[in-house]
Amino acid sequence: MPLLWSGFPPYSSPKVSPTNPRILPYGTAAIAEAAALIRAGECVAVPTETVYGLAADATESRAVAGIYAAKGRPSFNPLIVHVPDLAAAERIALFDDRARDLATRFWPGPLTLVLPVRPDSGIAALVTAGLDTIAIRVPRHRAMQALLEASGKPLAAPSANASGSISPTRAEHVAKSLAGRIPLVIDDGATPAGVESTIVMGASILRPGPLSAEELGFEIAAPNGRITAPGQLDSHYAPSKPVHLDAAAAEAGEYLIGFGPVAGIETLSASGDLTEAAANLFDALHRADASDAPAIAIAPIPERGIGVAINDRLRRAAHR
Ligand code: TXA
Ligand code: MG
């Protein structure tokens, strides 16, 4: 199998070629095509008022796994979910008075709220990285708004760049960074804000962004030196029982999660497909944790492609 891009191993992911992505100007045709791709479980790059996002159906774990695969993201950071309006957000997250006040004043706009996720949200566990909170926002940009309406889905969307590179503010940035990895970019020119949304939890700013503390009306100054850096969160999902990595077989009483040739009580991907395994990972860990077994064992996962991200999450899960 040929390498589609240098320094990155191939693995199964959307139907793309080295000449992709296509770039279509914003308009009815582009939105219809993008919505069809979203409903087929693929990712599409679309501008927001902050940066171009790489959007996928937030209710389908396999579609969300495709985002990580396309970005080559080395760990499963929780993603922001985009919805068309406050009513849609309230069906996914639990709002208190302060959150509702902020939403009323700044949505649609570059504000992300971290809130408790509703148990019946329908959002894939891979989006929240297994946390019981969710980051959610209502974007202002016409292209993202049109895609939300046409697809009828809540859309998970990190910045549309390969992991470790600069966030894209133009369609060309996306096409260069994700060449060969995604089918479509909707081009609506440069993004207005150019930096990612301000993330707020309670009365704290977790990530500074286009909306300042002063604009938000917070007493506190923007955090200085003690930012909870995106992706540096310690509060990732961790099972309540010991996790035994690189297990070729279950030891007495262990709940074995298999992969490839190692068949378990459940198996992340019998065919050894890493994207499928990533899509199933958090659900499998939750089931293993809820089982009667006193410990969890997990088959070896290859350290390549999105397997690096799976292993990162597994090491965190095993760390007690
Ligand atoms: O402007 C933006 O926010 C862009 C556009 C595309 O909307 N999106 C974006 O998403 O920057 P992303 O996935 O790159 O950044 C999400 C960040 C994570 O790195 C994480 O720090 C934080 O949001 N986050 C997500 N869920 C969280 C949670 N439950 N608790 C705390 N932080 C969370
Ligand atoms: Mg980013």
Side-chain angles (χ1 to χ4, degrees):
M1 196 174 169
L3 277 176
L4 297 183
W5 55 87
S6 68
F8 213 84
Y11 42 80
S12 68
S13 71
K15 298 162 234 57
V16 292
S17 78
T19 55
N20 282 343
R22 293 174 64 215
I23 301 180
L24 290 179
Y26 169 77
T28 312
I31 293 298
E33 190 167 323
L37 285 165
I38 294 289
R39 285 195 296 268
E42 306 235 19
C43 335
V44 173
V46 56
T48 78
E49 67 274 34
T50 58
V51 298
Y52 275 70
L54 186 58
D57 181 352
T59 66
E60 288 291 336
S61 58
R62 211 190 150 87
V64 176
I67 293 176
Y68 289 100
K71 283 178 67 85
R73 203 164 183 167
S75 68
F76 288 137
N77 300 329
L79 302 177
I80 296 170
V81 172
H82 301 68
V83 292
D85 52 33
L86 176 58
E90 296 222 35
R91 288 194 289 274
I92 290 171
L94 291 164
F95 282 66
D96 58 15
D97 287 346
R98 173 166 41 211
R100 202 170 287 112
D101 173 62
L102 287 171
T104 305
R105 287 192 289 138
F106 295 103
W107 283 354
L111 172 69
T112 296
L113 296 173
V114 175
L115 298 167
V117 64
R118 284 185 181 275
D120 60 348
S121 69
I123 299 297
L126 196 50
V127 171
T128 55
L131 297 173
D132 55 12
T133 53
I134 190 162
I136 195 161
R137 82 181 187 96
V138 175
R140 174 176 291 279
H141 198 284
R142 64 176 182 175
M144 184 57 123
Q145 275 286 347
L147 186 57
L148 286 163
E149 188 182 338
S151 67
K153 306 284 190 186
L155 298 175
S159 52
N161 53 281
S163 183
S165 51
I166 298 162
S167 289
T169 57
R170 293 178 178 278
E172 307 84 76
H173 299 166
V174 180
K176 197 171 167 205
S177 192
L178 297 179
R181 304 195 204 179
I182 60 170
L184 178 65
V185 184
I186 296 174
D187 184 357
D188 201 12
T191 58
V195 296
E196 288 93 341
S197 60
T198 304
I199 302 180
V200 169
M201 182 165 62
S204 301
I205 294 176
L206 298 186
R207 180 176 74 180
L211 291 167
S212 66
E214 295 71 32
E215 285 171 287
L216 293 169
F218 288 178
E219 300 281 309
I220 51 162
N224 196 352
R226 280 196 42 82
I227 297 164
T228 306
Q232 302 301 308
L233 302 170
D234 286 328
S235 52
H236 285 282
Y237 177 77
S240 64
K241 46 182 97 161
V243 178
H244 165 201
L245 303 180
D246 295 322
E251 287 170 22
E254 283 180 342
Y255 187 105
L256 178 64
I257 298 173
F259 177 82
V262 179
I265 293 175
E266 61 181 296
T267 299
L268 296 176
S269 171
S271 66
D273 177 271
L274 288 167
T275 301
E276 181 184 20
N280 291 329
L281 179 65
F282 283 109
D283 286 334
L285 284 172
H286 275 292
R287 277 191 293 269
D289 208 14
S291 75
D292 292 337
I296 302 169
I298 301 171
I301 307 292
E303 187 78 359
R304 65 180 150 78
I306 201 171
V308 176
I310 295 172
N311 285 324
D312 171 76
R313 298 307 304 125
L314 288 175
R315 277 191 292 272
R316 288 172 195 264
H319 183 78
R320 291 160 67 76

